[in-house]
Amino acid sequence: MKLQLAAICATAALQGACAELAILPGVNNEAKAYITTDGETWSVYKPPFGTTAACSSGSELYLMGMHQQTFDPVAIKSSDGKTWSDPVKIPTIVVECEASDGNIYASGYNGGVIRSTDGGDSYDLIYKTKHNIESFNSILKLDSTLITFGDYDDPTVGDYRGNAIEARLSVGNVTWTEVKGDWFNNGGYALQSAISCPGVVLVGDDTGNYYVAEDKHATTWSDRIFLNNTLGVGGSVCIGDTGVWLVQHEDMSTSQDAILCVSDDSAKTFDCSTDLTLAHVKPLKLYGKSASSVFATSRTNDGLGESTELWHTTNGGKHWEKVLP
């Protein structure tokens, strides 16, 4: 499975609320997650399965992953990060999840979208791909709209084609519609990291472009905007009312330096200057509310395989220090 870099809305705080209970998953199906109850002090939790996604409602944590022997997709939940429920089987391997309006929504590999309406006790499949090879890498809940982003293998272009679908959600009725943005018009643009910030909704692709929603339901999108270089747009986080951080780096590789791109004007412009090049940190998931304190899970390779570490910056991403292995 290729790694899809997706931003995680770790808490409602990333969408403007003030909850502090947050969680960041491990990398590459590693049985590890990082948990905080105050936004600053973190601890390591090791679940009985490899993690692929995590999200928080602000009062409840949800951790999803895959059993490392049977490969069954599973999920657990906790109200304090210490005591966890027993794993429940879920219909698809999840890449991204979001807790909103009392429900949990998630999407992932094999083109599946799932939902829990009972607080994470069970999950139902609400969409299944129509393509042979498809992956959903990000999911957003915008008011009454649910939209998920990814890619599928399109033989007509001989490459992966960006794909997004959305649904207007009402009780007992989920109708899906394909969203045909500029990513659909050109082969090879796989959608990866999507984020909803106070002033903007955007999604990045795997070749250094991002797209901005032009209406509140995200049904129409801007043409692709080139960010900095052809590295994929991975981790992202909202900072305050107008700040957006995006990270660019290669999939499944530690040979290329990561680049942090920072916007202070709701993604109208980005600073990707050389002092934001991250030679030793490969951020995948970001958490923070101000530029003076942002945390990131990062992948490292010790020659025996990749593992996850937690890093921290207090000066807008110019310097990072490791917090936890």
Side-chain angles (χ1 to χ4, degrees):
M1 273 186 308
K2 67 176 183 178
L3 176 65
Q4 300 293 342
L5 306 178
I8 182 170
C9 290
T11 69
L14 298 187
Q15 303 299 331
C18 58
E20 296 288 356
L21 190 63
I23 184 169
L24 296 171
V27 177
N28 285 1
N29 200 36
E30 186 177 0
K32 181 189 290 186
Y34 299 99
I35 295 167
T36 182
T37 58
D38 61 9
E40 291 294 327
T41 304
W42 294 76
S43 60
V44 176
Y45 170 65
K46 295 188 176 181
F49 54 83
T51 62
T52 58
C55 51
S56 173
S57 65
S59 59
E60 197 86 9
L61 299 174
Y62 305 97
L63 184 59
M64 302 176 184
M66 181 174 61
H67 193 281
Q68 292 171 315
Q69 279 75 46
T70 66
F71 305 109
D72 289 334
V74 292
I76 55 177
K77 64 178 182 175
S78 173
S79 60
D80 59 9
K82 297 178 182 179
T83 303
W84 291 82
S85 66
D86 292 331
V88 296
K89 288 186 178 182
I90 56 179
T92 194
I93 300 171
V94 170
V95 175
E96 188 74 34
C97 66
E98 181 166 333
S100 177
D101 301 329
N103 297 326
I104 304 101
Y105 304 93
S107 59
Y109 295 108
N110 302 320
V113 182
I114 63 176
R115 176 179 63 180
S116 174
T117 58
D118 57 12
D121 291 334
S122 63
Y123 289 82
D124 295 318
L125 186 69
I126 59 175
Y127 179 84
K128 180 62 178 176
T129 179
K130 62 182 180 181
H131 302 289
N132 290 330
I133 301 175
E134 184 166 15
S135 177
F136 290 126
N137 311 315
S138 255
I139 190 165
L140 294 177
K141 177 67 165 52
L142 306 171
D143 295 324
S144 61
T145 301
L146 183 67
I147 183 167
T148 184
F149 307 85
D151 58 85
Y152 66 93
D153 192 3
D154 187 349
T156 63
V157 298
D159 204 339
Y160 282 90
R161 186 192 288 273
N163 188 34
I165 58 170
E166 67 168 2
R168 298 285 190 268
L169 299 178
S170 60
V171 177
N173 181 29
V174 181
T175 302
W176 294 91
T177 304
E178 189 166 20
V179 181
K180 292 188 176 180
D182 192 28
W183 56 75
F184 184 83
N185 299 325
N186 300 273
Y189 294 95
L191 299 182
Q192 293 185 319
S193 174
I195 191 166
S196 173
C197 295
V200 66
V201 177
L202 64 82
V203 61
D205 68 23
D206 64 342
T207 54
N209 304 301
Y210 70 97
Y211 312 79
V212 175
E214 296 181 335
D215 64 276
K216 67 177 182 179
H217 293 299
T219 55
T220 58
W221 291 76
S222 70
D223 290 343
R224 62 187 183 275
I225 305 166
F226 187 65
L227 184 58
N228 180 62
N229 59 42
T230 57
L231 296 178
V233 180
S236 58
V237 68
C238 308
I239 301 295
D241 292 333
T242 60
V244 183
W245 287 18
L246 301 178
V247 175
Q248 288 188 275
H249 51 83
E250 290 180 310
D251 286 1
M252 296 297 288
S253 173
T254 57
S255 62
Q256 174 71 50
D257 289 346
I259 298 169
L260 177 65
C261 296
V262 174
S263 173
D264 295 321
D265 56 10
S266 298
K268 294 180 178 63
T269 60
F270 280 93
D271 173 17
C272 307
S273 54
T274 55
D275 61 351
L276 294 172
T277 298
L278 312 176
H280 58 295
V281 185
K282 309 293 179 182
L284 294 178
K285 312 291 186 183
L286 302 177
Y287 170 86
K289 291 179 290 182
S290 72
S292 63
S293 184
V294 176
F295 294 87
T297 56
S298 175
R299 62 185 175 205
T300 61
N301 194 322
D302 59 5
L304 300 176
E306 292 191 336
S307 61
T308 313
E309 297 175 340
L310 186 68
W311 290 71
H312 185 218
T313 180
T314 58
N315 63 352
K318 295 180 177 62
H319 177 72
W320 294 76
E321 293 184 353
K322 186 167 69 173
V323 177
L324 288 170

